[in-house]
Amino acid sequence: MTGPFRKPGDPLAGDAAPRLTGAFSPAEQPLEMVLDGLVEGVLAVDLELKVLHLNLAAARFLGLQPEKALGSPISDLTDLSVLPETIRQSLEFGCETTAETEIEGPANQRNQILEFEASPLRDRSQKLVGVVISIHDITELRHLEKVRRDFVANVSHELKTPITAIRGLIETILGDDDMEEETQVRFLEKAHSQALRLSVLVTDLLTLARLESRDAILEPLPFDLREPIFTSIRASRSVEEHRAALEYDLPKEPVIVRGDPESLRLVASNLLDNALKYTPEGGRIWVRLQQSAGIARLEVQDTGLGIAPKDRERIFERFYRVDKARSRELGGTGLGLSIVKHVCLAHGGRVEVASEAGKGSTFTVVLPLADPHQFG
Ligand code: ADP
C-alpha cells in the first residue's frame, strides 16, 4: 500500500516529506511504521482541512478508519467541533494552538480527555500547506491533577479546623482578664486536645508521604508478624474507654514476612482502633492471624456499624469518611485506611473489606510470607 506521505500531488510528498534512512527497506515505508508505532495520535490536514494522513493512534482516538478518512474534510468525520476549530485557528494565525475535549465514556468509566496540539505545516519555501495535529490522551494526567488538588484542599481544611479552634480559645483567654481560673483551664484543655489532633494529623500525613515515595521500605528485613500485631493489641487493650470485648488468636509458630515491622504495627493498630471506634458498647472484636500457602492473613473482625456498599469502595481513599462528624469526634483523621492500603501495597500485599451495614465488618490483610531460603 502506498502511504499518504508518498501520494503524488500531496503537499507532504516529495521534498517536503521527512525522510528516514537506515535499516528499513523502501517497501516497508519506515515513516509510516514509526508514526503508527507512536502512542500519540498524529493527524495532518491540508488547507481545506482534508485529511492527508493519520496514524493508527489518531484513528483510534477519533474512531476513524484510516483508509476511509483520507481525503475527507475532518469536520465531516468527527462530531468533535473543537478539532476543526483548533485547526482553523492554527491556519488563521499561523501558530501553534492547543485545545482539549472530554469524550463521554461508557457507564462506570471515566470520560476520556484528549488534548489537540495543532501546528502549521509549511513546505521548504515556508508556504503554509496545512496543519499537523498531535493528539494526546491526558485522561490520567487530569485525574491525577484533580486528586492532588482535592488532597491539598482537604489537608488545608483539616489543618485549618483545629488551628482556628486553638487560636479562638487562646485569644479568648488573653482577651479576658477577669476569666475565672476554672474556665481558663477548661479552655486550655480544649486547646490542648485540638493541638493533639493537629499533631496526629501531621504524623499521619508524613507517614502517608513516606509510604507513597518509591523507597518506602528501604531495607525489607524478615521479622515475625505476630510481634507488631501483639504490640498493637496490648496498646489497644490498655485504652479503657473502649468497651467492646477483644479476642485474639495468633499462631504458636512465627509468621515470617519481609518488610518494616513499624509500618505493620501501624496497619494492625489502625484496623484495631477503627474496630474499637466503630463498634458500640457491648460489641465484639476478633483479631486472627494465620499462615498458609506462602501467605500471611490478618483478619480484624467487629460487630460494629458496618459499611454500606457505596462507602466500601471509597473508605481507602485519603480523607474519605462515612460520617465526618463522628470520625472527628472519635479522633479520626480519615487517613488510617489509606495508610493501611499503602503499607500493604509496599509489602507486595493487599487489604480487603467485607461488611454489612448494621452487622459489622471484617478487614483482611494478605501479605506474602518471606522465602525461608532467604533468611537464616
Ligand atoms: P478515620 O480516621 O475516620 O477512622 P479511616 O481511614 O481509618 O479514617 O477510615 C475511613 C472511614 O471508614 C471511617 O471514617 C469510617 O467511616 C469507615 N470505617 C473504617 N473502619 C470501620 C469499621 N471497622 N467499621 C465501620 N466503619 C469503618
Side-chain angles (χ1 to χ4, degrees):
M1 187 190 112
T2 308
F5 274 95
R6 303 291 158 111
K7 274 203 293 190
D10 187 329
L12 290 175
D15 281 352
R19 287 182 195 283
L20 290 179
T21 52
F24 303 101
S25 75
E28 282 177 314
Q29 301 175 18
L31 188 55
E32 262 190 48
M33 278 170 51
V34 171
L35 288 173
D36 280 344
L38 289 175
V39 182
E40 283 84 21
V42 179
L43 165 73
V45 297
D46 65 12
L47 295 174
E48 290 167 357
L49 270 57
K50 287 183 183 156
V51 175
L52 297 169
H53 183 84
L54 81 165
N55 71 349
L56 287 180
R60 205 175 50 246
F61 287 142
L62 301 173
L64 301 176
Q65 287 185 349
E67 289 81 10
K68 289 194 183 158
L70 290 176
S72 302
I74 190 68
S75 39
D76 291 354
L77 297 170
T78 172
D79 293 338
L80 301 173
S81 57
V82 67
L83 180 56
E85 273 164 26
T86 313
I87 297 171
R88 278 193 201 101
Q89 273 182 24
S90 179
L91 278 177
E92 189 178 337
F93 300 108
C95 63
E96 265 182 37
T97 33
T98 311
E100 62 183 67
T101 191
E102 197 163 334
I103 302 170
E104 206 173 313
N108 296 331
Q109 272 188 32
R110 248 184 245 153
N111 288 353
Q112 188 183 36
I113 304 175
L114 295 179
E115 183 189 57
F116 302 118
E117 272 184 75
S119 326
L121 198 60
R122 300 179 191 279
D123 66 9
R124 284 240 165 124
S125 61
Q126 289 303 305
K127 199 172 119 222
L128 194 62
V129 291
V131 173
V132 61
I133 305 101
S134 59
I135 308 171
H136 314 271
D137 184 346
I138 54 166
T139 314
E140 196 53 30
L141 181 73
R142 290 287 178 267
H143 173 68
L144 290 175
E145 282 171 0
K146 184 178 178 313
V147 169
R148 192 184 54 82
R149 267 198 315 273
D150 290 352
F151 180 62
V152 171
N154 272 324
V155 170
S156 314
H157 179 75
E158 294 292 332
L159 291 175
K160 202 170 169 216
T161 313
I163 288 173
T164 311
I166 293 169
R167 205 180 134 184
L169 288 159
I170 292 180
E171 280 174 4
T172 314
I173 298 172
L174 290 174
D176 185 354
D177 292 339
D178 303 328
M179 187 182 275
E180 283 179 17
E181 200 184 322
E182 199 183 314
T183 317
Q184 258 187 24
V185 170
R186 217 179 57 240
F187 276 32
L188 284 173
E189 277 170 358
K190 278 189 184 165
H192 182 235
S193 107
Q194 292 293 335
L196 286 180
R197 187 175 147 198
L198 206 54
S199 149
V200 173
L201 184 64
V202 172
T203 307
D204 277 3
L205 282 169
L206 289 173
T207 306
L208 255 186
R210 180 176 60 82
L211 288 167
E212 280 177 343
S213 72
R214 271 161 197 261
D215 41 25
I217 297 162
L218 289 175
E219 243 183 284
L221 298 169
F223 67 93
D224 185 354
L225 185 57
R226 293 177 307 169
E227 284 166 15
I229 294 174
F230 191 59
T231 308
S232 55
I233 291 173
R234 257 202 331 249
S236 302
R237 283 197 134 186
S238 65
V239 182
E240 280 170 10
E241 73 216 46
H242 297 129
R243 290 159 300 247
L246 170 60
E247 289 172 34
Y248 60 90
D249 182 9
L250 306 181
K252 291 202 174 56
E253 66 287 355
V255 179
I256 308 294
V257 296
R258 196 172 266 280
D260 172 33
E262 175 52 23
S263 300
L264 282 150
R265 188 196 59 74
L266 276 180
V267 166
S269 58
N270 271 308
L271 293 179
L272 200 44
D273 283 353
N274 279 349
L276 290 161
K277 273 193 299 193
Y278 302 110
T279 302
E281 206 172 335
R284 296 183 71 186
I285 293 157
W286 297 269
V287 178
R288 300 183 200 95
L289 178 65
Q290 293 158 355
Q291 59 182 331
S292 66
I295 56 166
R297 182 183 292 270
L298 167 68
E299 267 177 22
V300 180
Q301 184 184 354
D302 64 57
T303 58
L305 303 179
I307 307 158
K310 72 171 175 36
D311 298 310
R312 267 203 309 266
E313 289 168 18
R314 303 200 53 194
I315 49 172
F316 294 97
E317 288 173 22
R318 294 177 290 194
F319 292 118
Y320 188 83
R321 289 174 277 203
V322 177
D323 181 342
K324 263 195 177 172
R326 186 181 196 130
S327 154
R328 281 215 190 101
E329 197 185 306
L330 296 167
T333 60
L335 295 173
L337 287 180
S338 196
I339 291 175
V340 169
K341 182 178 118 183
H342 279 94
V343 172
C344 292
L345 290 176
H347 284 79
R350 62 178 194 277
V351 55
E352 290 160 2
V353 58
S355 182
E356 206 176 322
K359 294 217 164 151
S361 315
T362 306
F363 285 82
T364 306
V365 167
V366 177
L367 297 172
L369 288 173
D371 181 349
H373 302 295
Q374 286 183 8
F375 57 93

